[in-house]
Amino acid sequence: MLLKIRLAHSADNSNVEANIVELNSKHVEDFRSVWMNLLRQFQQEDKYWDLMIKLRMIENNDNYEGYAVEYQEQTEGLLLIETQMHGSQISSGKRLIYIYYVATAPWNREVIQRPPKLRGVGTSLLLFTRSRSLELGYEGRVGLHSLPGYEKFYDNRGMLDLGSDPDYEDLVYFEYGAWRQRLQGTGESQV
Amino acid sequence: MSKQQEINYTVSNPMDLLFDDNYLEEAVAAEALVGGNIGVGLDWEHDMGELLSNLPLVGRLTTLRVSLNREARQLIETWNLGIGTKIATTTARIHIKQRLQSPTPEVEQHLQTVLLQDDLYNEEFIRDQEVLRSLLKVLLTESDWQGIASVAAEEIRKQIMCQCSVTEVITV
């Protein structure tokens, strides 16, 4: 699988083409050998050991899928989703894609590099989950628990804030409902 | 970018939004608000050793953890602890995580048995209350429950003292 996406290059405000691809061993190795050193150095929230386990879960479970954003052969973002076990909190009985992990490369974070190299990586991965949800027949439904401090991003991206979840360490749960496309010129929308 | 704005886009595939200049500009601004950090999800924080050497079980362990959190919360909520409920639940959750991370040999044996029961892992939460209750029984020790009781009692004590001070019923 290879999906072309467009990202913003911070240095000159230009747009660049990148790809979303299925996660492979190169991405895991990039995370281990390149990302981890930088993340440790800057004490970012990502839990290294935990993610290594999560990434390896994909190999052993059909219901987990992993993807990466690649630009000029570098891993710019990572995504891990679960596709069969989670249900919507908005529409009872409807399945959704649950985001287990999503992250941008350290050099795309302002706390590590200013200005960050690329912008739009997180947005691309979030939109991709909606697209994957449509493919799986889940009507674009996506859920996630945001880590503290990042809630405003998901709020800003139009996800519904369903409040802190006591069973998930009080992390705030966000959900996208069904994707609705407005039919051009009619003002009506369809799922 | 509000939800309302998003549903007004005319594209059929969400990915097409990336090729809409306005959308990309707004998205980039939204990412800048959090400095490009977009972290999600529960984590385990550190190595859990032997138990997780069997990698296929890792996903199940997370399911088990949130299920135990929920079961403990629902149990505590029936105890009518009032203002002490939240802190009691939070403390129980902390103990559950600790016990799952560093299980005693006895607990580890129970965990392995539960983790190997395929039929429990079809949903976000395990539905079998009997399994969860019996696991909570071996997972949380008496000292854990003493700790939970202490923090709940302290919360109630603080509330009483706070109310006394507000209503000026204490004569010094």
Side-chain angles (χ1 to χ4, degrees), chain A residues 6 54 123 145 154 156 166, chain B residues 1 21 31 38 41-42 93:
Chain A
R6 195 169 67 139
K54 283 175 178 168
T123 301
H145 286 89
Y154 297 104
N156 199 280
Chain B
M1 234 308 291
D21 287 337
E31 283 189 22
I38 49 167
L42 269 191
R93 214 167 56 198

Side-chain angles (χ1 to χ4, degrees), chain A residues 63-82:
Chain A
N63 55 323
Y64 291 95
E65 296 178 3
Y67 299 92
V69 172
E70 280 184 348
Y71 173 64
Q72 294 182 335
E73 296 184 9
Q74 259 192 326
T75 305
E76 300 289 345
L78 290 170
L79 171 73
L80 176 60
I81 57 176
E82 197 287 323

